[in-house]
Amino acid sequence: MKATLRVRRFDPDSDTPEAHFQEYDLDVEDSATVLDGLIKVREEVDGTLTLRCSCRSAICGSCAMRINGQAGLACNTKISDAVPRGGGPITIEPAGNMQIIKDLVVDFQPFWDKVRAVEPWLQPEGPEPETEYVAPNDAMLHEAGVMACIMCGACVSDCTVLAVDSNFLGPAALAKAYRLVVDPRDDAEASRLARLDEYGGVWDCTRCMECVEVCPKGVAPMDRIMALRDKAMERGHTGTYGARHADAFADSIKHSGWLDELKLPIKTFGLFNIPKILGLVPVGIRAQLAGKRPPIFHKSIPGVQGIRRIFDRMESRR
Amino acid sequence: MINHDVLIIGAGLAGMRAALAAGDNGADVAVVTKVHPVRSHSNAAQGGINAALTDRGDDWRDHAYDTIKGSDYLGDQDAIEIMCREAGSEVISMEHMGVIFSRDEEGRLGTRAFGGQRQARTFFVADFTGQALLHVLHEQVLKAGVRVYEEWFVLSLIVEEGQCAGAVVMEMRTGGVHVMRAKAVIMASGGLGRVFEPSTNALICTGDGMALSYRAGAPLMDQEMVQYHPTTLKGSGVLITEGARGEGAHLLNSKGERFMERYAPNMMELASRDVVSRSEQTEIDEGRGIDGCVLLDCRHLGEQVIREKLSQIQDIARDFAGVDITREPIPIRPGMHYQMGGIKTDVNGSTAVPGLYAAGECACVSVHGGNRLGANSLLDTLVFGRRSGQHASDLAKSKPHAPITDAAAEDDLERIRALLENDGEYMFGRLRLDLGRAMDRRLSVFRNQQGMEQALTEVRDVRERYRNVRVADKGKTFNTNLMFTLELGFMIDCAETIVLSALERRESRGAHTRTDMPDRDDDNWLKHVLVKSTPDGPRIEHLPVVITEWEPQARVY
């Protein structure tokens, strides 16, 4: 089949080092992947095209890039699937949220620094057993869902929080942290969760789902981050705005059956947190002008008893 | 100039295991690797790692015997004994580091069956065991604070007064060339799969370490022993784990027959890899294949087994062949997979060049001989990676740095300058493809004199054209075009040693099957073939095989 790859190029060594797009018209096999196409370019057409790639089977994590605006592995994206509806070129850009070194090669150092920051190694206490640790297979299978992470950085590329705050640990590092928190052999859960409760940790995720969407290995980093939040709160880490927001949300639902949007920010930030509360005033004014101001008197919905029973049953199960 | 006691080249399982061992032994250790450690090709090992654990009623002697028989009696039995005896503690220490090995109902390590072995002794993590081990070793390297020079590409080894004194290395990010001085160097750079086209190997497996060591004076041994894996995917050549057959998958020909009944009636699909690959190729050659392939059938395993134990190959078959393995068989064929041969070492990783060690696929201890058993490669990397790390760091304690300076980089700088200025007519990609296709055509499952002679001519023709290669990218920053061109130089050296060794061995043994000399000849060829680089060109040498207690027998599965 014929296809056109429209590749974002950048060479810091060139006389005119501005990023630009370059198009390559290719004739490839129907089963060819985007990576096959890019390799064909660099081996047969344009030797200067620069990208990372190695295994060609979605296990080494080298070839994450943005394909038609969304992060993915070039090696497991078929060209035939990537051609936009109605035809036209496939747009290929480097992974996002990382500095571009050259063409499709980005600087992963901040990525690895964050992985390092979660102390991603097993920390058992006490003497090692003579033979293996005894651990349930279910726990190992559950962890395998996260160990399947190949550190390709697709999630980091498309993370909407990292786009505005580079201090966020990010989905990959937090998923790695999750695997150690849930490992039955690890005894550092308390200190791990305390660290993850801080700024840049689990509460900075906005639950946009992008990382779940783009992960090529089904790791679902956001789900792991949410599970870490639960664990942090169970451990008594209820002081962050995030945890207080979650508590206030749940309290409101339990109490009235629906969300009290006036009380939510007050309970989250605290009534006497003047700067934060003042910061909400413009939001309130805009809501008022748009006719979206929540009611001042918050009434319970009919059938709230049923909702409370659900809460009671869930809480008794913990 | 950068100084370290022990310099390790490569950050796969062997390299990182060596780094931890050398660090534990008090050495200042550094790792250089042309890709980030978790991008290493150890990732691709899917099936598992072998160990005979005595508390499971297994015996390392049985494992050793299976390995020796699997090697077609070319493996050195002293080395195999060490590997099999130390396997249990190595697996347990990886578990202690955090590997999430599959468990049995009691929560203890579970095993699966693997080819060529009478016991189920393969420990595994679903079907991504290599990845699980690699990532955990990387965690430990982070914990230990080992210095890793990521995306640094080795240009040459420095040999000073007959001893290895370090390496000349190019930093890809900047193009800067550095002299790295070390009291001991451990080569752990992996295999040479890309010398063949197609291959299951990653694009980074270009035989760098073998060629670097060969050029530095270390002989390469058993280079003719190239493993063709029985189950590689049609088209892309991507690997389908032996674990699939370990879990009970069948091989079928175009008539729907389980043809292994005719070739290995006892072990069937789980005979040694060379046996299964030959059987498949025979079916295909005799017209019982389908479009150059036979079929791997997983359907009867059921969705749960597939989901829990073979999830990755389910993805691979779907993504790369459009096959749902719960409903259809997978078209597969033998494909180049592993190099049994490599840099000749002793059981401590020492090579013929003092100060230079080697471990993992680039090394040849030799524990795999003529044919490696599935799940013995991970074991090899860990056991001999650790031993190399220990011995190299011991050596480093006993000697000072060699008196070398930054001038040691001059030859490489000149070589790079000449390459960049050479406005030749060939792109490296064209030459690599010609080389790989020649090797796959002439040195695959079945070989003969005429074909191998033809291959030698073709390899030397590529070498000739390589003088006329053109590097299009003249820049400093991340110049992969230059790196691939340098790698191709390594690959040509590797290819030549493979063909020369294969021509030398005038019998059939293990993966080296000659249609013109179909029998094993223990009287004349129970010995290793070595190739040494000399000023007059490659020179062939021989070494006897070490036999301890297992005398060669006919090999029946």
Side-chain angles (χ1 to χ4, degrees):
Chain A
M1 64 179 287
K2 290 194 188 309
T4 302
L5 302 184
R6 181 171 169 268
V7 185
R8 192 166 197 263
R9 305 289 311 267
F10 169 71
D11 179 2
D13 298 335
S14 97
D15 299 333
T16 50
E18 284 100 39
H20 62 282
F21 281 96
Q22 188 165 352
E23 293 199 354
Y24 299 100
D25 296 321
L26 298 176
D27 198 353
V28 293
E29 285 185 30
D30 289 353
S31 62
T33 62
V34 169
L35 182 61
D36 292 333
L38 291 169
I39 290 174
K40 195 177 168 78
V41 170
R42 86 176 177 192
E43 294 205 346
E44 295 171 24
V45 182
D46 181 353
T48 67
L49 179 67
T50 306
L51 64 143
R52 291 193 184 98
C53 58
S54 183
C55 74
R56 305 162 299 135
S57 51
I59 190 77
C60 78
S62 303
C63 68
M65 54 189 71
R66 277 190 176 151
I67 302 165
N68 296 326
Q70 191 175 50
L73 297 177
C75 72
N76 74 348
T77 306
K78 283 221 175 87
I79 286 183
S80 56
D81 294 337
V83 174
R85 256 178 237 149
I90 300 168
T91 301
I92 295 168
E93 298 164 280
N97 289 330
M98 288 178 269
Q99 196 198 326
I100 299 169
I101 294 174
K102 181 178 176 184
D103 290 347
L104 301 171
V105 176
V106 296
D107 183 6
F108 257 74
Q109 196 53 51
F111 177 98
W112 298 118
D113 288 344
K114 287 173 182 176
V115 170
R116 169 73 182 71
V118 302
E119 299 190 352
W121 48 84
L122 198 68
Q123 296 177 28
E125 267 172 23
E128 278 181 350
E130 287 251 320
T131 60
E132 73 269 39
Y133 288 99
V134 174
N137 194 42
D138 283 349
M140 297 292 117
L141 282 174
H142 179 65
E143 270 185 68
V146 190
M147 273 310 271
C149 171
I150 55 176
M151 300 274 156
C152 67
C155 56
V156 163
S157 163
D158 285 16
C159 173
T160 53
V161 177
L162 281 168
V164 293
D165 183 359
S166 61
N167 291 305
F168 182 40
L169 281 169
L174 289 171
K176 184 90 170 171
Y178 174 81
R179 106 126 174 111
L180 289 148
V181 166
V182 299
D183 194 303
R185 300 165 294 182
D186 190 88
D187 292 314
E189 185 180 336
S191 62
R192 290 183 191 282
L193 289 171
R195 165 76 187 83
L196 297 174
D197 192 54
E198 291 169 7
Y199 168 52
V202 293
W203 297 106
D204 287 59
C205 168
T206 59
R207 306 176 58 151
C208 72
M209 296 283 287
E210 286 292 339
C211 59
V212 180
E213 184 88 4
V214 300
C215 175
K217 304 302 283 189
V219 172
M222 191 200 81
D223 294 352
R224 316 299 177 176
I225 297 171
M226 294 309 120
L228 285 172
R229 285 184 181 179
D230 281 348
K231 290 189 176 292
M233 289 179 72
E234 281 167 25
R235 280 260 174 191
H237 295 290
T238 52
T240 58
Y241 292 148
R244 290 165 58 126
H245 181 85
D247 272 342
F249 207 110
D251 280 352
S252 173
I253 304 293
K254 185 180 174 186
H255 180 254
S256 63
W258 65 306
L259 185 61
D260 185 344
E261 289 184 81
L262 277 184
K263 267 199 197 144
L264 186 68
I266 295 171
K267 280 190 156 181
T268 301
F269 296 132
L271 184 56
F272 300 107
N273 189 346
I274 305 299
K276 280 282 180 191
I277 299 294
L278 280 179
L280 288 168
V281 168
V283 181
I285 292 170
R286 280 200 301 275
Q288 177 78 32
L289 291 174
K292 290 182 177 175
R293 179 178 59 73
I296 305 241
F297 300 105
H298 184 82
K299 290 182 189 157
S300 295
I301 59 164
V304 67
Q305 302 299 340
I307 290 173
R308 286 183 194 150
R309 276 200 296 278
I310 294 171
F311 269 87
D312 290 341
R313 197 175 296 172
M314 273 172 26
E315 280 161 8
S316 69
R317 245 188 234 170
R318 284 210 165 160
Chain B
M1 192 161 57
I2 297 163
N3 293 297
H4 291 287
D5 292 346
V6 178
L7 182 66
I8 296 164
I9 299 170
L13 292 182
M16 290 202 284
R17 190 67 191 85
L20 293 177
D24 284 347
N25 201 11
D28 162 33
V29 50
V31 180
V32 289
T33 166
K34 65 179 177 177
V35 293
H36 185 277
V38 306
R39 313 286 182 226
S40 303
H41 190 57
S42 303
N43 261 330
Q46 296 168 346
I49 177 167
N50 291 328
L53 293 190
T54 40
D55 64 353
R56 311 294 131 100
D58 204 351
D59 186 335
W60 69 264
R61 281 180 193 80
D62 289 341
H63 181 193
Y65 171 72
D66 287 342
T67 301
I68 291 160
K69 180 180 172 187
S71 81
D72 217 349
Y73 296 90
L74 188 64
D76 285 325
Q77 298 185 5
D78 55 342
I80 291 171
E81 285 187 20
I82 286 173
M83 180 176 80
C84 296
R85 212 181 298 156
E86 296 181 2
S89 66
E90 204 56 50
V91 167
I92 295 299
S93 67
M94 289 305 299
E95 196 279 334
H96 288 170
M97 288 180 200
V99 177
I100 52 162
F101 283 113
S102 178
R103 312 279 161 152
D104 61 18
E105 275 112 52
E106 278 87 53
R108 311 202 55 199
L109 301 188
T111 54
R112 68 168 32 137
F114 240 59
Q117 304 183 69
R118 295 156 299 159
Q119 283 269 353
R121 62 167 70 93
T122 304
F123 297 88
F124 65 101
V125 180
D127 54 0
F128 59 90
T129 313
Q131 183 197 341
L133 292 168
L134 184 73
H135 282 238
V136 165
L137 268 186
H138 181 241
E139 293 167 8
Q140 296 297 312
V141 161
L142 288 175
K143 181 186 174 190
V146 173
R147 179 71 200 265
V148 182
Y149 296 87
E150 289 156 15
E151 299 187 319
W152 286 42
F153 177 74
V154 178
L155 300 168
S156 68
L157 294 176
I158 302 167
V159 180
E160 182 73 11
E161 291 176 354
Q163 303 211 9
C164 188
V168 182
V169 187
M170 180 169 68
E171 183 182 2
M172 292 306 295
R173 174 87 184 246
T174 63
V177 171
H178 306 271
V179 171
M180 300 186 82
R181 190 163 67 156
K183 299 171 186 174
V185 173
I186 303 175
M187 192 58 75
S189 58
L192 52 61
R194 301 314 303 177
V195 169
F196 289 71
E197 177 66 40
S199 163
T200 63
N201 285 197
L203 302 176
I204 55 172
C205 301
T206 48
D208 305 6
M210 292 185 207
L212 286 164
S213 305
Y214 177 65
R215 291 174 185 181
L220 304 182
M221 186 165 88
D222 298 342
Q223 283 289 81
E224 72 278 20
M225 296 303 179
V226 179
Q227 180 164 78
Y228 271 64
H229 193 287
T231 54
T232 70
L233 202 57
K234 181 187 174 184
S236 63
V238 170
L239 176 69
I240 302 292
T241 177
E242 184 166 307
R245 282 171 287 140
E247 298 295 341
H250 297 158
L251 288 169
L252 307 176
N253 63 17
S254 62
K255 297 173 171 174
E257 297 165 337
R258 277 183 77 185
F259 56 84
M260 286 310 296
E261 279 170 3
R262 290 200 295 279
Y263 305 94
N266 301 317
M267 301 284 276
M268 297 290 284
E269 282 86 356
L270 287 177
S272 272
R273 287 179 174 174
D274 58 333
V275 176
V276 180
S277 285
R278 270 194 298 277
S279 310
E280 290 177 358
Q281 196 60 49
T282 304
E283 292 294 304
I284 294 164
D285 291 348
E286 292 179 357
R288 292 184 296 278
I290 300 165
D291 203 7
C293 292
V294 290
L295 299 172
L296 179 71
D297 190 358
C298 298
R299 289 173 295 184
H300 56 284
L301 302 181
E303 289 194 18
Q304 191 185 345
V305 168
I306 288 172
R307 193 173 55 247
E308 286 184 7
K309 296 183 172 170
L310 301 169
S311 60
Q312 190 186 303
I313 71 148
Q314 189 174 20
D315 292 349
I316 286 173
R318 185 195 61 221
D319 292 345
F320 299 99
V323 168
D324 174 358
I325 67 170
T326 64
R327 291 164 185 277
E328 304 157 78
I330 316 168
I332 53 91
R333 65 178 173 202
M336 190 284 168
H337 180 58
Y338 185 85
Q339 172 64 334
M340 270 75 73
I343 308 155
K344 169 27 182 173
T345 72
D346 68 10
V347 296
N348 299 322
S350 307
T351 71
V353 179
L356 177 63
Y357 293 75
E361 188 170 346
C362 70
C364 182
V365 188
S366 109
V367 287
H368 308 305
N371 171 70
R372 174 176 69 78
L373 294 186
N376 263 357
S377 58
L378 294 183
L379 181 59
D380 171 20
T381 63
L382 295 176
V383 169
F384 293 104
R386 174 174 50 70
R387 292 176 71 93
S388 301
Q390 286 163 344
H391 286 268
S393 50
D394 278 344
L395 176 79
K397 283 178 192 164
S398 68
K399 68 179 217 183
H401 276 296
I404 56 169
T405 65
D406 282 332
E410 265 167 26
D411 286 354
D412 287 303
L413 286 168
E414 180 49 38
R415 193 158 58 103
I416 289 171
R417 203 174 306 128
L419 258 180
L420 291 174
E421 281 169 10
N422 189 8
D423 225 4
E425 58 182 304
Y426 301 107
M427 288 181 74
F428 82 92
R430 176 78 251 161
L431 298 180
R432 185 190 67 76
L433 205 61
D434 288 350
L435 178 75
R437 285 186 178 156
M439 294 297 283
D440 187 59
R441 195 176 308 131
R442 318 285 183 195
L443 283 115
S444 59
V445 177
F446 292 111
R447 304 168 172 180
N448 62 55
Q449 183 76 19
Q450 195 195 353
M452 292 188 290
E453 282 172 1
Q454 182 65 31
L456 190 60
T457 307
E458 287 164 336
V459 170
R460 288 182 170 162
D461 172 60
V462 170
R463 188 190 287 288
E464 204 50 47
R465 283 188 286 155
Y466 181 69
R467 292 179 205 280
N468 212 1
V469 73
R470 195 173 94 85
V471 179
D473 193 338
K474 312 290 184 195
K476 283 266 182 202
T477 308
F478 225 91
N479 190 342
T480 52
N481 193 198
L482 172 63
M483 183 176 81
F484 298 148
T485 307
L486 292 165
E487 284 174 349
L488 180 60
F490 295 146
M491 290 160 77
I492 294 168
D493 280 2
C494 289
E496 188 174 31
T497 62
I498 292 169
V499 180
L500 290 173
S501 304
L503 280 165
E504 174 71 6
R505 185 172 288 283
R506 292 182 287 280
E507 61 154 0
S508 287
R509 183 184 299 273
H512 178 69
T513 308
R514 298 182 58 142
T515 51
D516 50 353
M517 299 174 190
D519 297 323
R520 194 174 83 188
D521 177 3
D522 287 338
D523 292 338
N524 295 302
W525 289 102
L526 195 60
K527 60 187 177 189
H528 298 291
V529 174
L530 289 84
V531 192
K532 190 175 189 312
S533 176
T534 74
D536 306 325
R539 190 174 74 215
I540 299 283
E541 296 171 355
H542 296 121
L543 261 183
V545 173
V546 178
I547 307 246
T548 56
E549 54 183 280
W550 292 276
E551 287 299 322
Q553 295 167 355
R555 198 156 156 258
V556 181
Y557 285 101

